[in-house]
Amino acid sequence: GCGGAESGGEASDALNAPGAEALNNADGKTTVEFWHSMKGANATAVDKLVADFNAANGGKIEVKAVYQGSYDETIAKYKASVQQKSTPALVQVYDIGSRFMVDSKQVVPMHRFIEKDKFDAGDIEPNIASYYSVDGKLWSMPFNTSTPLLYLNKEAFESAGLDPTKPPKTLAEIGELAKKLTVKDASGKTTQFGFGAAIYGWLLEQLLATDGKEYCDNGNGREKLATRVQFDQPAAVQVAQWWADLVRNGYATNTGRKTDDAQAAFKAGTVAMHLESTSVLRGYVDAAAGKFTVLTAPYPKVSDASTGGPIIGGASLWINGVGHSAAEKRAAWEFAKFSADATPQAQWHTGTGYVPINVRALDQVDKAWVTKYPQFRTAVDQLHSLPPSVASAGCLLGVMPQARKAAEDGLEAAIVGTKPAEQAMKDAATSVQPAIDSYNKSVA
Ligand SMILES: O=P(O)(O)OC[C@H](O)CO
């Protein structure tokens, strides 16, 4: 999140300067290019949202949704578009890109529109709003909000004589169950692994937060600019070692760093326990239909002694000021406002698995649907019970995407066994230092 950034780099032409008029058609229609990173069921949900908005705007505004690849790919393309002076009017940026966006001097903060329209932002979930605020003011519109989950294959638990209503709560408990949930065929080939997850840096960020540990220094970058990452601390090394041991013992599969590959293994029913965001829940339920039951449980803790809670995940919508006309900026705001309303957020929740950002959205969801899909409740409850803490606010770092990649380097080295866990995480933390130093110099 961006909360705590000391100074905002607001786009200098702010709300009213003329800017480029190219996208305002002769017929008076304003076109808004909207870059996003949603795919599968979530892309279908974006397309529906955009179609509903366009229909409601009677041909005056047309939002054009453009899939730009993963979150990492979208922010890379966004950076290139800043250089080429061709940013989209609206862009979905993941949580960890927020500090960069605030510093970018490209965007008009959302609170400028909120103030101008006297828009009542009171329906936005308070802890989500605070995640995307600087000094209590929203810089982007929360859009897709997640928390991380433990996913379970219900029938795999039952076949092993385990109770799926009693999910493991700690890494050690996952380890014990993973052994019992690993199944081999007559030839000794493993047909089901107890555990499997992508080597995805977000999962480590979340485990540290649930352990109450800060990922970077200076109060997770909230007291002042963070100067180093701390993912080589003992709790992180413990995570790397735990994961490496599960793979080495044959109780976990290593599908590598691509989230798609780990997701495919869970959807295929070859992995009994899995860590992922609630963002993939709709796609999982659809893929498993008629084959197995997808259950969700709170994200595990590093140990029984852990006292923290996870970090809000997902992404938010940013309006670019530089190079966009007043009409485009307003049109982008109209879409952001629409997307945050109760009914669109209710559809978004059921279509994706994300937690609604609007406090009234769940009232709009059909009661029969809620009863049929209790799995969708876990992330909502987890978000509502987040402890307010510096650890679960997440690390604020201009180069957080690079830090995440470095952490993945460390985890992977430990998991495939090229380095001992402690060395792997230490080397990974060291590798990101030049990027942190040079970013901090550039914003000083
Ligand atoms: O998969 P999502 O959308 O829940 O996002 C997960 C992380 O927060 C992205 O940084």
Side-chain angles (χ1 to χ4, degrees):
C2 47
E6 307 93 42
S7 60
E10 185 167 338
S12 56
D13 67 347
L15 288 189
N16 297 313
E21 300 293 338
L23 286 172
N24 298 324
N25 304 336
D27 58 5
K29 187 155 86 174
T30 304
T31 303
V32 173
E33 199 169 300
F34 167 36
W35 288 9
H36 71 87
S37 301
M38 301 286 92
K39 60 183 172 185
N42 300 354
T44 306
V46 164
D47 291 343
K48 170 158 176 49
L49 182 72
V50 167
D52 288 351
F53 173 81
N54 288 341
N57 280 277
K60 289 202 166 57
I61 302 174
E62 190 183 6
V63 172
K64 285 196 169 143
V66 186
Y67 173 70
Q68 291 289 14
S70 68
Y71 288 137
D72 284 333
E73 286 162 345
T74 298
I75 201 160
K77 287 180 186 174
Y78 176 75
K79 287 177 184 173
S81 78
V82 170
Q83 297 305 315
Q84 293 153 7
K85 301 197 185 342
S86 63
T87 60
L90 193 65
V91 60
Q92 179 196 31
V93 176
Y94 56 179
D95 44 9
I96 62 166
S98 299
R99 173 83 217 201
F100 171 83
M101 293 303 285
V102 169
D103 290 336
S104 73
K105 298 196 164 39
Q106 293 293 314
V107 306
V108 184
M110 207 55 66
H111 69 85
R112 296 290 307 272
F113 296 96
I114 290 172
E115 285 151 15
K116 196 162 191 197
D117 275 18
K118 299 193 170 38
F119 173 71
D120 179 7
D123 281 345
I124 302 175
E125 285 276 358
N127 46 16
I128 303 176
S130 114
Y131 186 87
Y132 290 106
S133 295
V134 179
D135 297 332
K137 291 181 167 194
L138 268 185
W139 268 68
S140 57
M141 185 61 90
F143 177 58
N144 52 316
T145 285
S146 64
T147 63
L149 298 176
L150 171 65
Y151 282 90
L152 312 171
N153 178 321
K154 180 172 183 248
E155 286 74 16
F157 268 66
E158 288 169 350
S159 303
L162 298 168
D163 183 354
T165 67
K166 295 201 176 71
K169 294 194 175 67
T170 61
L171 297 186
E173 287 176 22
I174 291 180
E176 285 159 29
L177 293 192
K179 185 175 180 180
K180 296 179 182 158
L181 287 160
T182 297
V183 178
K184 291 186 177 176
D185 68 12
S187 72
K189 185 176 173 286
T190 303
T191 53
Q192 175 182 289
F193 287 93
F195 178 80
I199 301 176
Y200 178 24
W202 187 61
L203 302 177
L204 174 66
E205 293 157 29
Q206 294 292 352
L207 283 166
L208 284 176
T210 58
D211 201 40
K213 301 294 192 308
E214 290 164 22
Y215 186 91
C216 56
D217 69 350
N218 290 333
N220 253 344
R222 280 149 205 282
E223 289 153 18
K224 51 184 178 178
L225 282 173
T227 66
R228 62 177 302 271
V229 290
Q230 303 177 154
F231 58 63
D232 51 351
Q233 62 183 292
V237 172
Q238 190 187 334
V239 170
Q241 187 65 54
W242 163 83
W243 201 328
D245 288 346
L246 278 181
V247 169
R248 189 170 36 84
N249 290 326
Y251 307 142
T253 177
N254 174 20
T255 49
R257 289 164 75 144
K258 286 202 192 107
T259 50
D260 279 355
D261 294 341
Q263 290 171 12
F266 181 74
K267 285 191 281 194
T270 56
V271 160
M273 292 180 291
H274 171 65
L275 301 178
E276 244 300 356
S277 165
T278 194
S279 63
V280 292
L281 180 53
R282 176 81 264 162
Y284 280 8
V285 167
D286 292 348
K291 288 182 264 175
F292 67 94
T293 312
V294 177
L295 297 182
T296 58
Y299 202 63
K301 294 186 182 291
V302 172
S303 74
D304 284 324
S306 300
T307 54
I311 311 164
I312 286 178
S316 65
L317 305 181
W318 296 80
I319 296 177
N320 286 300
V322 178
H324 296 282
S325 70
E328 271 182 88
K329 284 178 273 196
R330 169 140 295 270
W333 156 244
E334 291 297 336
F335 178 75
K337 197 163 58 170
F338 176 86
S339 74
D341 211 353
T343 303
Q345 277 295 315
Q347 285 173 1
W348 180 248
H349 169 65
T350 59
T352 62
Y354 281 109
V355 178
I357 65 132
N358 187 305
V359 293
R360 291 183 298 115
L362 288 174
D363 299 339
Q364 314 271 323
V365 179
D366 180 47
K367 296 278 173 295
W369 189 92
V370 173
T371 308
K372 187 168 177 204
Y373 295 110
Q375 310 93 322
F376 285 68
R377 191 70 213 183
T378 311
V380 175
D381 292 342
Q382 193 170 241
L383 183 123
H384 286 157
S385 60
L386 281 186
S389 78
V390 174
S392 60
C395 161
L396 196 61
L397 189 69
V399 295
M400 189 62 194
Q402 293 92 315
R404 178 178 285 178
K405 287 264 164 289
E408 289 168 1
D409 291 340
L411 286 173
E412 188 163 44
I415 291 166
V416 303
T418 52
K419 286 179 192 174
E422 190 173 353
Q423 190 63 45
M425 297 315 290
K426 212 173 166 35
D427 290 353
T430 305
S431 76
V432 77
Q433 198 59 49
I436 297 173
D437 294 343
S438 102
Y439 186 89
N440 288 354
K441 228 176 263 163
S442 78
V443 294

